[in-house]
Amino acid sequence: MKSESLDDKKQAAGMTRTGVRMAIISNRMESIARKMQNTLFRTARSGVLNTAHDFSCVILTADCELLASAESLPIHTLIGPDLMCQAVRKYHPEMKAGDCFLHNSPYEGDSHAADHCLIVPVVDEDGVVRFFVLAKAHQADCGNSKPTTYMGQAADVYEEGALIFSAAKIQSEYKDNQDLIRMCRTRIRVPEQWWGDYLATLGAVRIGERELLQLGREVGWEALEDYADGWFDYSEQKMIQAIQRLPSGKATVHSAHDPFPGVPDGIPVKVTVNVDSVEGRISVDLRDNVDCQPCGLNLSEGCARTAAMIGIYNGLIDHGVPPNAGSFRRIQVDLRENCVVGIPRHPYSCSVATTNLADRVSTPVQRAIAEIAPGFGMAETGPIMPPAMGVISGRDPRTGEAFVNQIFLGITGGAGTPVTDGFLTIIHAGNAGLCRQDSIEVDELHHPLFVSERRLIPDTEGAGKFRGAPSIYAEFGPIEDCTMQVIYTADGTVNPALGARSGGPGGNSKAFKRELDGTLTSLPACHGAMLEPGEFIVSHSAGGGGYGSPVERDPERVLSDLREGLITAERARTVYGLVTTGADAVGPLAVDRSATQAMRASLKAQERSA
């Protein structure tokens, strides 16, 4: 008995040491990814990187499995880095220290051509590839036929026009391939800006390489391999536990992208989600959708798989599940070749693959989970890319130089959840709030731009027990002596973000041009607006859907929204059933509990009769 007890203690101590070691190395890996990100953020030249933070840095195993990603954008990183590293291995079976590969092909793992990825194999002193580090940076300009990285109207990749690199070796022995550098400098409209961003991205992957080599020398490569295996197994178990909190069930949910150039009737999207709680597995079937379309909305394979997975991770409402190759084992995403939300065939364009149609996959998945499992899932996040997230271009009269950059001046869209109101500045489902809204003052310093107004729009939240985020209004235009083009690809002008479990839809996206005489002209959803001095573009972002019935919302929360100006008194009364007492002249507003209860009973009766 004593020896068994001693053995048990030794086993427990060993498990504790293993767990502590795993936690320490896991944190070390995340810190390396953060160092990569901080390098890129602090040294990049374009605003889309050094202000909006539209980039991601990850670490993968030598077998191309995602290991660590820190605070990277989900749409960039869940699936895609693995496929791109596989492409590097395919075309370059022999890799050496000092190699670096430029990859942005949406047909071989990347999201869209605007996301330039630098991939470095981490090679030890014996010439063995131990890891990969990858930095993905959204470009201000990637050589498209128009000054934007989102060519929604492109009928194919040729009309899109971007330079596309398939695992092209851009460095050998730590020296640049000047042939590729000259190609980019010649084709890209802002070559010095691109060059600065390239150096920032290169610095990120080289720091990741340096830190991993140091870590390997400290703890040994075999120990790191054991860690990766154990970390993946742990993550898989955490995913199983999260799935088993749900009931088993199956739901088919429909969504649709708005009409667009090349798709005058829009693009319907059908997702079927199957939760197997017993086995701890979730599958998403995207095969029953239309073929690739003659526009830039087609999803690359990486974006299609990732978009479905984002909906699952959002819907689980469990932030303790590490998003890596281990937890991915419990998810199956079924695609078919040449599908608009599947595996595109060249030359169909995937120019807008990270945003519009990807969100029309993510948000129905999280809404399907809400249907299967009350208390889980989410409403739909607001559709994306209003003018305030457009790409501005022109020539700066202050310097005489050309400028091209994407701005993030006003996008909200957060969806209501079973436990919280919508994340105000999430931007979109695939972004998860990790990009930043621009500072008006910084944008005005960097570009010949004047922002006349930015504010939230009342009564645009998806009503619910937990409401969605309201829409945001932004109005901006060029300064004197400047002509500016604003190219944007808005969704949600027709089809809003829908609510879940009786929640209401969010406000629609809208776009207008304010003419010189002050009148407003409605603009198309996908458009390139030319603005002369004195003209402005007006942007309404899409609001997020609500979760649960509005008449179940805590009256104090409704009152707070009313006081903050997020909703009007009429909406508070007719949608949320709130009755108040008092006013500023006779006392502060307060909830009339008995009258509110009666009003809500009446609204519920109307719902049942309807």
Side-chain angles (χ1 to χ4, degrees), residues 23 55 100 124 230 247 253 275 327 349 452 479 528 539 567 569 592:
F55 63 85
C100 180
D124 69 10
V253 174
V275 176
S327 57
S349 172
S452 63
I479 63 173
S539 171
I567 58 174
D592 185 328

Side-chain angles (χ1 to χ4, degrees), residues 141-151 160-162 187 189 351:
D141 186 276
C142 60
N144 278 339
S145 60
K146 293 186 178 181
T148 178
T149 50
Y150 300 99
M151 290 285 291
E160 181 183 338
R187 181 61 172 272
R189 293 173 178 83
S351 183

Side-chain angles (χ1 to χ4, degrees), residues 417-499:
T417 82
V419 293
T420 61
D421 291 337
F423 185 172
L424 180 63
T425 56
I426 194 170
I427 298 183
H428 74 117
N431 186 294
L434 292 170
C435 279
R436 290 107 185 255
Q437 305 280 333
D438 289 359
S439 159
I440 290 174
E441 292 77 10
V442 169
D443 274 1
E444 290 177 338
L445 283 171
H446 285 177
H447 308 295
L449 176 78
F450 174 67
V451 181
S452 63
E453 189 175 4
R454 180 166 68 176
R455 58 177 170 80
L456 296 176
I457 306 173
D459 296 348
T460 54
E461 89 300 347
K465 180 178 181 179
F466 292 99
R467 59 161 175 76
S471 302
I472 195 168
Y473 177 104
E475 184 169 349
F476 61 94
I479 63 173
E480 294 181 2
D481 302 321
C482 178
T483 298
M484 176 184 292
Q485 187 173 30
V486 183
I487 299 178
Y488 62 92
T489 55
D491 188 18
T493 60
V494 176
N495 299 300
L498 298 180

Side-chain angles (χ1 to χ4, degrees), residues 208-229:
E209 174 192 35
R210 182 193 70 190
E211 294 292 316
L212 283 169
L213 288 171
Q214 177 63 31
L215 182 59
R217 286 190 288 268
E218 286 181 21
V219 304
W221 296 114
E222 288 187 5
L224 290 181
E225 288 181 6
D226 291 343
Y227 153 74
D229 291 340

Side-chain angles (χ1 to χ4, degrees), residues 5 25 45 64 80 84 94 104 108 144 204 233 249 262 271 305 316 395 400 429 481 538-539 572-573 605:
S5 177
I25 296 178
R45 198 165 293 180
C64 308
M84 289 185 279
E94 298 294 329
N104 72 329
E108 295 174 292
N144 278 339
D233 290 343
V271 304
R305 294 191 185 280
L316 291 175
R395 190 164 294 277
D481 302 321
V538 174
S539 171
R573 185 179 64 84

Side-chain angles (χ1 to χ4, degrees), residues 216-438:
R217 286 190 288 268
E218 286 181 21
V219 304
W221 296 114
E222 288 187 5
L224 290 181
E225 288 181 6
D226 291 343
Y227 153 74
D229 291 340
W231 183 236
F232 289 150
D233 290 343
Y234 167 82
S235 302
E236 182 178 14
Q237 289 304 311
K238 293 292 289 184
M239 176 60 93
I240 291 171
Q241 293 168 15
I243 295 172
Q244 289 181 338
R245 293 167 59 203
L246 312 179
S248 294
K250 185 176 182 179
T252 297
V253 174
H254 297 267
S255 183
H257 193 286
D258 291 351
F260 224 63
V263 282
D265 297 323
I267 302 175
V269 177
K270 176 183 177 182
V271 304
T272 298
V273 177
N274 190 5
V275 176
D276 186 339
S277 179
V278 176
E279 293 294 326
R281 295 186 181 277
I282 297 180
S283 66
V284 180
D285 193 342
L286 298 176
R287 291 173 294 185
D288 191 12
N289 284 290
V290 299
D291 288 344
C292 288
Q293 297 294 296
C295 65
L297 299 178
N298 301 287
L299 295 191
S300 60
E301 180 179 358
C303 282
R305 294 191 185 280
T306 294
M309 293 168 70
I310 287 169
I312 291 171
Y313 281 91
N314 286 349
L316 291 175
I317 316 292
D318 186 342
H319 306 298
V321 179
N324 61 35
S327 57
F328 298 169
R329 297 170 184 166
R330 314 307 294 186
I331 299 173
Q332 177 178 327
V333 181
D334 294 318
L335 306 178
R336 68 175 179 84
E337 195 171 333
N338 197 42
C339 181
V340 70
V341 290
I343 306 170
R345 290 178 184 160
H346 187 277
Y348 282 106
S349 172
C350 301
S351 183
V352 196
T354 56
T355 53
N356 295 42
L357 203 58
D359 286 358
R360 295 295 186 176
V361 171
S362 299
T363 56
V365 170
Q366 61 198 41
R367 188 157 58 90
I369 293 176
E371 289 190 9
I372 294 169
F376 294 89
M378 295 173 68
E380 292 191 350
T381 307
I384 197 177
M385 301 289 282
M389 198 181 168
V391 177
I392 61 172
S393 62
R395 190 164 294 277
D396 193 333
R398 302 170 299 184
T399 62
E401 296 181 354
F403 67 91
V404 183
N405 195 44
Q406 185 178 8
I407 55 174
F408 288 71
L409 268 173
I411 319 97
T412 53
T417 82
V419 293
T420 61
D421 291 337
F423 185 172
L424 180 63
T425 56
I426 194 170
I427 298 183
H428 74 117
N431 186 294
L434 292 170
C435 279
R436 290 107 185 255
Q437 305 280 333
D438 289 359

